[in-house]
Amino acid sequence: MKFAAWLFPGLGVKRWLLAVSAGVLLLGLGLGLALNTDVLALADAIVSQVVLALTGTVLPPRAVGVLIAAAGLALFVFGARGAVRSILNAVAPGEVEGLAERVYERRYLARGPRVVALGGGTGLSTLLHGIKEYTYNVTAVVTVTDDGGSSGRLRGELGILPPGDIRNVLVALADTEPLMERLFQHRFGRGQLKGHTLGNLFIGALAELLGSFEEALRASSRVLAVRGEVLPSTVDDVRLVATFPGGHEVAGETRIAEEGRTRGRIVALRLDPPDCRPVPAALDAIAAADVILIGPGSLYTSIAPNLLVPGVAEAIRRSPAYKVFVVNVMTQPGETIGFTALDHYEAVESWLGRGVIDAVVVNTGRIAEERLRGYRSEQAAPVEPSLEALASRGVKVISGDLVTAEGLVRHDSHKLARVIMGEVLRAALKDSSRLVERLVLAERLGRVPRRRKGRRP
C-alpha cells in the first residue's frame, strides 16, 4: 500500500498522522532551543515573545526548549497511539483492549521450552490445553489408527487419515474465538451427516482440495490460530493389530477395544503394514525437544500406535530431552482393567526400552464415590499409583491431586500442566545457558494461576 493511500478520506488515520507530524516538529524545535542551536535564533525570539505574551514572564531559551520538546513528545505519543488504535480497530475490531497482554504472551511464550507430546484421544488434547499456557513451542504427534465413528467413515469413504484425534488436538491448541472452537467440534445429530463433526468434514474437504492430508493440517492450523504444530506420526494408511491370549489376533482399534473386554490382556501389538514411514518433521521435533510427554491416553490404542511407528521409539531414545510419562487417572475397559501405574509404566517401557523414561506423573487425588458409580459398572477404577514400586525402578515419581473437581473423571488440564512444567523448570532447563528460558517459565508458573483465578478448570 502506497503512503498516499493513508490519506484517503474515511480511514480515520489522517488526524493522527497530523498530530504525529506536529509532535515531531515541536520536539525538534524544543531540542534545538534547549541545546542553544544558533540556527534556531529566530525561532527562539518568536517563542520567547509568545511565552511573554501568554505568561508575562521571560523564560531562558533552554527552559522554553524543554517545555516545547515535552509538548512535542506528548503530542507524538498521543498521535501514534491514536493511529495504532484506529488501524487495529479496522483490522481487528474489538481486540484493542488487552493488546499489551497478548503481545506479552506471544513474545514470552515463544521463548518457552520445546515440548513434544505423543498420544491421541481426549487424553492428549486435555494435556495440551494446559501446556499451551506455558509455551508456544509445542509439537503434538498424533496417532492415526482410529477406525470408528466419524473418523472411520471418512477414512473409508475419502481415503484420508482419520481426522478425529487430530481435530481434538487442533482445537486444544487453538488461539481463536470460543465460537469457532465450538463450531469445529459440532457433531451433527440427524440426517446423512449424523455422527460427523464439522471439524472432521472441514479437514477432509481441505485434504481433497489441497491434495494432501499434511497440507490440510497446515491450513486448519492457520484457520484456528494453533499455538504450535500438529503432526500425524505417519501418513501411511495403517491398522492396529492386537494379539490376545491363545494367539488370537484382532485388527482395528475399535474391535480391539471391544474384544479386550472378554479376551483378557493384550499380549502383543503391531502395525499393519509394519514398514510404515514416520513423518520426518516429527522425528526432527523429537530430536530438538527439551521435554517429551507420553500420554495420557488409551494405553494400547492411543499411545502405543505412535511408539510402534518405525523410527519413533528410536528417536525418543536418542533424544537428550527429559522424558515424562503421564499415567491415566482411570483404568479403561477393554485395555487396562486391573492395571496399576506400574503396569502402565512397564507397558511403555516394553515399547521404548528400559531406563528411557525420566519421570512418571501419577494422580493421588481422592475421587468422590458418587463420581465413580458409572465407572464401576464398566469395571473401571482409579489407577492404583504404585509410588514405591515405581520409585524402586529408578524413575522420578511426580504425584498430586490432578483430577477435575466434578463431571467425568479425568485429568484437570491446568493442574497437570503446572506439575509437568514445574518439573521441566527443575530438571529439563537446569543448564546455566538456559537462564532466559528458566526465567520465562518461572514467571509463567507464578502468573497463570492468578490469571485464571475464579475460573473453573
Side-chain angles (χ1 to χ4, degrees), residues 103-350:
V103 170
Y104 160 83
E105 289 202 349
R106 290 186 182 279
R107 292 297 187 188
Y108 273 71
L109 296 187
R111 302 295 299 272
R114 299 181 295 272
V115 176
V116 173
L118 299 97
T122 57
L124 180 61
S125 57
T126 297
L127 169 67
L128 293 175
H129 189 73
I131 292 295
K132 73 177 182 182
E133 297 287 347
Y134 297 92
T135 179
Y136 279 178
N137 297 314
V138 180
T139 301
V141 181
V142 188
T143 183
V144 290
T145 55
D146 188 7
D147 59 0
S150 173
S151 289
R153 289 165 61 187
L154 292 176
R155 182 176 185 176
E157 294 171 7
L158 300 181
I160 63 172
L161 294 178
D165 286 350
I166 288 173
R167 182 199 77 244
N168 286 330
V169 171
L170 286 170
V171 171
L173 289 175
D175 186 19
T176 190
E177 291 294 331
L179 181 59
M180 177 63 79
E181 295 183 18
R182 289 174 55 196
L183 181 65
F184 216 67
Q185 293 286 54
H186 175 72
R187 190 176 299 276
F188 295 94
R190 58 185 177 179
Q192 294 183 343
L193 294 179
K194 183 177 180 179
H196 281 303
T197 61
L198 182 63
N200 285 358
L201 297 174
F202 182 84
I203 294 172
L206 280 176
E208 192 170 276
L209 181 66
L210 300 177
S212 85
F213 193 81
E214 290 173 287
E215 287 298 325
L217 287 188
R218 294 189 187 98
S220 299
S221 296
R222 290 194 295 271
V223 169
L224 293 173
V226 165
R227 302 182 182 184
E229 187 173 18
V230 180
L231 300 170
S233 53
T234 178
V235 293
D236 292 337
D237 183 19
V238 294
R239 306 277 173 175
L240 188 63
V241 181
T243 303
F244 289 94
H248 181 75
E249 284 194 342
V250 175
E253 186 177 302
T254 303
R255 285 192 59 210
I256 289 170
E258 291 173 352
E259 301 223 7
R261 295 171 180 265
T262 58
R263 294 189 177 276
R265 290 193 178 189
I266 294 171
V267 175
L269 275 178
R270 63 181 175 86
L271 294 178
D272 181 27
D275 59 347
C276 57
R277 298 159 298 173
V279 172
L283 301 183
D284 292 341
I286 290 170
D290 293 313
V291 58
I292 297 173
L293 305 177
I294 301 169
S298 300
L299 183 62
Y300 290 104
T301 55
S302 290
I303 295 175
N306 288 321
L307 304 181
L308 293 175
V309 173
V312 171
E314 182 182 356
I316 294 173
R317 287 192 290 270
R318 288 200 312 263
S319 175
Y322 194 73
K323 304 169 185 76
V324 180
F325 171 50
V326 183
V327 178
N328 294 335
V329 173
M330 300 289 293
T331 59
Q332 186 172 353
E335 293 196 34
T336 57
I337 292 297
F339 271 45
T340 65
L342 180 63
D343 292 325
H344 284 79
Y345 169 75
E346 288 179 337
V348 172
E349 192 178 55
S350 71

Side-chain angles (χ1 to χ4, degrees), residues 16 18-24 26 69-81:
W16 305 116
L18 182 61
V20 168
S21 301
V24 171
L26 288 176
L73 181 60
L75 189 58
F76 175 84
V77 172
F78 175 73
R81 181 175 180 272

